[in-house]
Amino acid sequence: MRVVIQRVKNASVRVPEEDYEASVSAGLLVLAAFEADDNDRDIEWMSKKICALRIFDDENGVMNLSVRDTGGEILCISQFTLYASTAKGNRPSYVRAAGQEISKPLYERFCNILGEHLGKPVARGIFGADMKVSLLNDGPVTIIIDSKIKE
């Protein structure tokens, strides 16, 4: 499982064809991708890690608070392109990304577990849809985490 986390002042997703929109105020935009061998351990570890990351400023301007500490919100978007391989040629390969039959249930479970650790529901996109994502990055603070490469 791989995620890109961005600290945001606000973020939103629109799916015009579905007449769907979701948004958050201050908090995190999480872009998430899954591999075929991802499981509940990956989801649980990643959810805890995201909600506990101390990347928000405290009263002294030091990144010492988590999204949970600040009462922030999370918008989670599925994004299989995080597993793009550009080793050969100029057309990325996505063979490491799990197919929809595996990724969709993992994404739904991830959003639910993430919400449990956050203490409130997580806003989300529509899996597999052509989404239009907007954000006002705060900092900017952008972090990449992979559940298989815990660095």
Side-chain angles (χ1 to χ4, degrees):
M1 178 177 184
R2 184 173 290 167
V3 299
V4 172
I5 301 162
Q6 295 183 296
R7 189 176 74 179
V8 297
K9 290 290 189 184
N10 59 67
S12 64
V13 60
R14 288 185 319 106
V15 182
E17 298 78 18
E18 302 280 338
D19 194 31
Y20 177 84
E21 187 167 345
S23 63
V24 296
S25 54
L28 300 174
L29 170 63
V30 176
L31 307 173
F34 303 90
E35 289 183 284
D37 66 344
D38 286 334
N39 56 44
D40 284 348
R41 281 191 316 269
D42 295 290
I43 289 172
E44 184 69 27
W45 180 85
M46 189 68 76
S47 298
K48 284 181 181 177
K49 180 63 78 176
I50 290 169
C51 289
L53 274 177
R54 298 182 337 179
I55 58 173
F56 291 87
D57 292 348
D58 64 14
E59 65 279 358
N60 298 314
V62 176
M63 284 197 282
N64 202 30
L65 301 174
S66 70
V67 66
R68 195 173 38 228
D69 295 334
T70 64
E73 300 176 297
I74 296 177
L75 172 61
C76 186
I77 305 293
S78 62
Q79 188 169 346
F80 75 94
T81 59
L82 294 179
Y83 277 111
S85 172
T86 58
K88 294 182 181 178
N90 294 317
R91 181 178 303 190
S93 169
Y94 303 105
V95 296
R96 284 191 54 201
Q100 181 171 340
E101 67 285 346
I102 294 172
S103 290
K104 186 173 183 179
L106 287 172
Y107 169 70
E108 296 297 333
R109 179 133 175 79
F110 175 57
C111 289
N112 291 335
I113 298 298
L114 193 56
E116 288 175 17
H117 287 287
L118 183 62
K120 59 179 128 182
V122 168
R124 18 181 127 181
I126 296 177
F127 185 92
D130 181 15
M131 295 177 275
K132 309 304 178 201
V133 179
S134 300
L135 70 140
L136 178 56
N137 203 316
D138 183 17
V141 174
T142 303
I143 297 173
I144 300 168
I145 304 176
D146 192 306
S147 65
K148 305 295 192 279
I149 308 168
K150 297 177 171 110
E151 42 181 25

